[in-house]
Each structure stands twice: as C-alpha cells, then as structure tokens.
Amino acid sequence: MLVIDVAAARVMDANYAAAKFYGWTRDEMQGMPLARINTLPTEQLRRYLDDPTASPNFLFHVTHRVADGSLRQVNVHGARVILDGGPMIFTIIEDETAYVGTERKLQLSLAVSDMVAGANNLVARAKSRQELLDGICNLTLQQGGFVGAWITTRTAAESIRVESMPRTFPHDVQTYLTSPSTYHPQSPAQRAITTGVPVVINLTESRDVAGADLLAASIGAKIAAAVPFMEDGVWSGALNLVARDPEAFGPRTVDMLVRLAANLTFGLERLAYDVERARLTQELTEAEARYRRAVDGADEGIWDWDFVAGTAYYSPRWKQLLGYENDQFPNTVDAFYASVHASDVAIVKDALRRHTLAHEPLRVEFRMRNREGRYRWFSARGHAEFDATGTARQVAGSMTDITTRRETEGLLRLGLAALNAAPAGIVITDAGGTILWTNPAFADMTGFHADDAIGQTPGTLVKSGVQDAAFYEKFWSTLRSGQRWEGDIVNRRKDGSLYHEHLSVTPVKNDRGVTTNFVAIKLDLTHEREMQAQFLQSQKLETVGRDRKSTRLNSSHT
C-alpha cells in the first residue's frame, strides 16, 4: 500500500509489503518522488493527479520501476481522500504475476472485489457513523464469506472499544470480543492501529492471541485479520474479520481489504464533514437570526455598496433615519452624496479612500439633509471586501443618528470652557472624595496643577490642620445627607503657606438619588483678609493717636 501526496507528487507513506515489493526501506520510500516509481511522463502524471473529473475510486494497469531498475506490470487500486486538509490517494499495488491460484481463490477475490464495490455505494449513502460501520461489517459478512466481523476503535485513554458488531456471536464469544481486556497491546486490533499495517493471525497455530481456541471451537474460525483505518489523519480503528478458510486472507484479499478500509476512512471523513457543515449551517442560521434581531432592535441603518455591480442598498431603518419610507429614497451612491452636507462630502470620500486603499478603519461623522430639509449628524462605520488583487469589490456597514450626541458635546465644550475660565477654583471628585478634575484657577490658588491633584483627595493635598476633627465630621455629615456645605476654611498651598478660602461643596446625584460626585467651588479670601487686617491696623493706630493727643491736652491744662 502506498499513500500519495497529490500536491507534492510524492509518496507520503508505504507499508512494509510495498517496501518489500519495490526493494527500498519504508524510510527511503517516505517522501520519494512518485516519478521515481511511475514510468509515465512527468506531465502526463501531473495531469492525472490534478484531474478534477477523475473518479474518487479507480483501478488501472501501469508499469512501475523497482529499486534494482527492473520494471513490473502492476494493477493500481486507488481511492482519493482528503487527509490533514490536503488531497491524498490511497493505493494498493498488485503485482499481476503474483496471483496465480485456484478457482477457489479467484472466487474469493471476486467476492471481496464485489464487497469493495458495495462499500463505495455505502460510503456515498450512509447518513450516520453507526450506519456506515454496521454496513461495512454486514458487507464483509454477506459478500466476503467471513464468519465474523466487528469494528474496534481506540479511545482517548488508549483503550479499545467495540463500535460495531451487527451479527450476534455465541454468548461466550460475544463476552470475549466486547471485553476491553481482550485488546491488549499485542492483540491484532491494537497492533494494526499502532502500526497502520494489516495483521493476519492463524488461529490454529498462534498461541499469542488469547481466545484463539474459543473462536475456533465456537464458530470454527481458523484465521483472523485486523485491517486499520484512519480518522482525522491518524490510525484510529480496525476492521476485524474471522474466517473458516485458512487461506481466506491471501495477499490479494488483504490488499482489497486495505482498499475497503480506505473507503471506510473516506466515509468517516465525509460524515464528519457533513456533521461539521450541518453544525456550521445551524450556527450561521442562528447568527443571522441574532443579527436580524439586533439590527431590527438597534437604532442603526444598514448600507451596502457594490462597486463591481455599481449598485447600492439602504435598509428601511437607514431611510427612516432621514425621514423617508423605503420607496422614497433611491438606492444609489449618487443619492447618498446628494444628501450629504457640501462641506462634508470630501470628508466622507477621503475616509472611504483611506479605507479601501490604506485599509484604515472606516469610521466617519458627517451631516445629511433629511426629508424636512434639515441637516442632522450621522456616524457611519463599514468594512470592505477585496479581491485577489487587493481591489475593493464591496463595502458595507451601519449608520447612526448622532445629532443629540453632537449637540450635547457642543454644550459640554461650552460648559468646560466656562469652568476653565472661571476665576474661582473648581474641584470635581468622585463619591469617595478622589479628585477627578480641577480648573486652572485652582492651580493659581494652591500651586497644585491638575497632574498633581488628580487621584489625590483634598484632605491629603491641601488640608492645613487648622480645623479639628469635629469640624470635618460635621462637614462630611452634611454632604452625606445630600445637602450643600458652605463656609470659610484655612487650607495649605503647595509651598506650605496657609491661606483662607470660602468653600462651597455640592453633592451630585444620579437618577436614583445616589451621590456620585462632589463639586467644590473655592474663593481665595487671602486678599480680603489682608485688607481687613490693614483696616483693623489703621483703626487701631487711629485710636492710639487720639488717646495720645487727649493725654497731651489734659497735661497742658494742668
């Protein structure tokens, strides 16, 4: 048996019988160019390997070259399969001069050939794994003339289990054949699966196979064979057969059984593919249904431009975003650009160009005129499909109305500008008091810029120690009750100096009434306090002056 790698035109593997026939070792044959064996011209051989119309199973007569250079006329029985993701051909090489036997042998070979032919039909029509395995066993019993057939597979734990045994054996034989202990490492099934080579045992002579006497006594079996098959690219199971004819497993029969096993491998691969295809089809159907529900439930419109066909599609929801019914907006690219604000057309086209040429993400915001003649803001996202040359063939995506967001962003920008321009220091914290944002006036007041303050708390940043614990307990009690706190306080600047400020702290609540943030507004009282101090000092000096003048006047009169 040879396994041919179609793409490389090389021998991927050869069994020991093939190595013996050709005169090379198995290691020498693995990877050998097929042209070294096959005498066909290279171009003719390549055309046959690549022929898409070739039958998956074939039999033909060719001339092969062996190691000593001599030529042999052989029959090649082959089956095309997919193995490890690539096309392979399993071949049985039959030396025409090797099979000269009796009429009984010829009849047996013809029966096995019919059995293999029947297997081709079974592989094509089987709807399940069990149907295929049972069908193979029944074929060997009905057309091969064997007295027992069953299929074993190797589990992940390296043990052997019986997956198919359609014909019931006597109870003692049934118990023996279904017992895991029967399939020890030297059993025919284990050896066949381990080596990938058929194993034939003469039950009347062998003492290496436990149960040989039982099989011989119960069903008259004199010879047994285990023929391996593959799944997922590895030897995983064996077709087990027993016969009363001690010559039932001659070379030709074994080769035909190997071909049968190759058909079984192909059938299992097909079923696995069918199961996977059905699973993927179901997943695709479910995904499409989920996508449709998501699209119908989302406030987004779907669009699709086909550059090759020159067509466009806009979903009903897409048109509704502009105030149109489904039949009121043309499905053309020109109609789209005609509705885009003149100042934004170049922006949209540039985003599309950068996506289709430079493969940058397609995300763009622009204004479109709705049915009422008003412009609204939209955000579009999309992705293109490219051909083999890298040319964009189609682009599709979604569009969302972002007018409210853009208006809100505008108001936020104005609000932020106002906060940054405010002469009072402003600090925003989370509910735990961690600083999230400060304005420039806060830096002017304290010396702490935003990079210094964010992530800190006012208590660790500007706390002076002038106010005692009772002060802060009342301060936080007021805020936690949801009320605003306002008062004068002494804090510390970054340079360590103390300053007076008027502080107002307001809780910010969410829609459930839970406080999420605090906003503090700080007015620096330093200048005011200095003016007060100067006023008090001047008042004091004026009083002292009047007292001294009065004293001098009193002294002069006395």
Side-chain angles (χ1 to χ4, degrees):
M1 179 184 73
L2 299 179
V3 181
I4 306 301
D5 185 330
V6 173
R10 291 178 178 273
V11 176
M12 188 178 79
D13 200 2
N15 64 5
Y16 291 109
K20 181 178 179 181
F21 172 73
Y22 286 100
W24 286 290
T25 66
R26 286 188 70 192
D27 290 342
E28 289 173 333
M29 295 197 72
Q30 290 173 353
M32 179 181 290
L34 188 57
R36 190 173 179 183
I37 297 173
N38 198 301
T39 59
L40 289 174
T42 302
E43 292 184 0
Q44 183 178 348
L45 178 60
R46 185 71 262 174
R47 283 199 302 272
Y48 173 75
L49 291 175
D50 295 336
D51 185 3
T53 64
S55 171
N57 299 297
F58 55 83
L59 169 63
F60 56 82
H61 177 81
V62 293
T63 302
H64 276 192
R65 184 182 297 105
V66 296
D68 62 7
S70 61
L71 303 178
R72 301 284 183 89
Q73 302 299 315
V74 297
N75 286 327
V76 178
H77 304 265
R80 295 175 181 268
V81 298
I82 299 298
L83 183 64
D84 290 338
M88 301 288 173
I89 299 179
F90 282 79
T91 62
I92 303 301
I93 308 302
E94 175 187 14
D95 187 351
E96 286 188 316
T97 62
Y99 302 111
V100 179
T102 62
E103 182 180 355
R104 178 175 55 81
K105 291 183 178 180
L106 178 59
Q107 291 175 343
L108 179 60
S109 296
L110 292 175
V112 175
S113 295
D114 291 341
M115 178 183 67
V116 173
N120 292 338
N121 294 328
L122 177 62
V123 164
R125 71 170 189 269
K127 296 295 188 295
S128 69
R129 175 188 180 89
Q130 197 61 51
E131 180 184 351
L132 177 61
L133 298 181
D134 290 346
I136 292 292
C137 287
N138 283 324
L139 269 175
T140 61
L141 294 171
Q142 295 167 6
Q143 299 184 19
F146 304 108
V147 295
W150 67 101
I151 290 178
T152 51
T153 55
R154 179 179 284 171
T155 68
E158 299 296 313
S159 63
I160 295 291
R161 63 174 178 175
V162 176
E163 274 207 68
S164 177
M165 187 181 287
R167 177 176 295 181
T168 303
F169 289 95
H171 178 72
D172 52 350
V173 176
Q174 188 92 2
T175 301
Y176 166 71
L177 292 179
T178 55
S179 172
S181 61
T182 298
Y183 303 98
H184 54 82
Q186 294 305 313
S187 65
Q190 281 277 33
R191 287 166 56 192
I193 296 172
T194 300
T195 63
V197 177
V199 175
V200 177
I201 297 294
N202 190 318
L203 298 176
T204 61
E205 298 177 359
S206 174
R207 291 296 176 264
D208 295 332
V209 180
D213 293 340
L214 175 62
L215 290 170
S218 297
I219 57 178
K222 294 182 175 60
I223 195 167
V227 185
F229 60 86
M230 306 181 84
E231 286 186 84
D232 297 326
V234 298
W235 299 107
S236 61
L239 170 63
N240 304 274
L241 302 165
V242 289
R244 294 190 178 100
D245 186 347
E247 298 182 0
F249 297 111
R252 183 181 179 87
T253 300
V254 171
D255 287 345
M256 297 296 282
L257 290 173
V258 169
R259 184 179 175 189
L260 176 66
N263 286 342
L264 175 57
T265 294
F266 175 77
L268 292 172
E269 293 283 349
R270 181 188 68 79
L271 287 171
Y273 170 78
D274 289 346
V275 170
E276 181 65 10
R277 182 177 61 181
R279 184 186 67 80
L280 292 176
T281 300
Q282 179 65 25
E283 289 183 356
L284 178 60
T285 300
E286 293 174 355
E288 289 176 343
R290 286 194 298 270
Y291 173 74
R292 179 53 54 194
R293 289 193 297 270
V295 169
D296 292 342
D299 193 25
E300 294 185 355
I302 303 301
W303 57 275
D304 189 338
W305 293 354
D306 190 326
F307 299 132
V308 177
T311 59
Y313 166 78
Y314 305 109
S315 70
R317 179 55 187 158
W318 189 96
K319 297 176 182 180
Q320 289 173 7
L321 293 175
L322 294 171
Y324 293 100
E325 296 297 329
N326 191 40
D327 59 350
Q328 293 177 333
F329 191 93
N331 286 321
T332 65
V333 175
D334 289 341
F336 167 81
Y337 281 121
S339 298
V340 175
H341 194 285
S343 299
D344 297 342
V345 170
I347 296 174
V348 175
K349 289 185 175 181
D350 182 63
L352 184 62
R353 180 188 60 79
R354 286 186 283 108
H355 177 65
T356 56
L357 297 181
H359 300 278
E360 295 182 12
L362 178 54
R363 297 186 182 91
V364 60
E365 296 184 359
F366 52 92
R367 289 162 291 177
M368 286 190 74
R369 185 178 61 253
N370 65 12
R371 188 181 181 186
E372 298 175 351
R374 298 176 181 176
Y375 283 97
R376 297 186 65 82
W377 278 98
F378 293 91
S379 172
R381 295 176 298 170
H383 183 75
E385 292 184 2
F386 301 87
D387 60 20
T389 66
T391 303
R393 297 176 55 86
Q394 186 176 7
V395 62
S398 63
M399 187 175 78
T400 307
D401 188 324
I402 60 169
T403 303
T404 302
R405 194 201 80 191
R406 293 287 296 221
E407 292 175 347
T408 302
E409 288 175 349
L411 292 175
L412 289 175
R413 283 193 296 271
L414 289 174
L416 182 60
L419 291 175
N420 281 321
I426 300 175
V427 177
I428 299 176
T429 74
D430 62 17
T434 300
I435 296 174
L436 304 177
W437 182 87
T438 64
N439 72 341
F442 174 80
D444 294 340
M445 182 186 301
T446 66
F448 291 104
H449 293 277
D451 291 342
D452 301 320
I454 293 174
Q456 304 292 326
T457 64
T460 59
L461 198 67
V462 297
K463 188 175 182 180
S464 65
V466 173
Q467 290 77 218
D468 58 14
F471 171 87
Y472 285 107
E473 183 177 348
K474 184 176 180 180
F475 171 84
W476 281 109
S477 176
T478 301
L479 293 177
R480 292 192 182 102
S481 68
Q483 301 178 41
R484 182 171 65 90
W485 185 95
E486 186 172 1
D488 293 347
I489 188 172
V490 177
N491 277 331
R492 185 184 303 275
R493 296 187 179 91
K494 187 175 183 179
D495 62 8
S497 62
L498 300 182
Y499 71 97
H500 293 266
E501 69 175 46
H502 182 77
L503 175 64
S504 174
V505 182
T506 304
V508 179
K509 301 179 181 180
N510 61 19
D511 54 4
R512 298 191 303 275
V514 178
T515 298
T516 58
N517 300 89
F518 295 106
V519 176
I521 300 176
K522 299 169 173 287
L523 295 175
D524 191 341
L525 300 179
T526 301
H527 180 68
E528 180 180 332
R529 291 301 173 93
E530 289 176 350
M531 294 297 293
Q532 288 178 354
Q534 291 176 6
F535 176 76
L536 291 174
Q537 181 66 21
S538 65
Q539 290 290 334
K540 182 179 179 180
L541 292 174
E542 184 178 345
T543 301
V544 171
R546 284 198 303 269
D547 290 344
R548 287 179 177 175
K549 183 177 180 180
S550 176
T551 301
R552 286 196 301 269
L553 289 173
N554 291 335
S555 298
S556 65
H557 288 297
T558 57

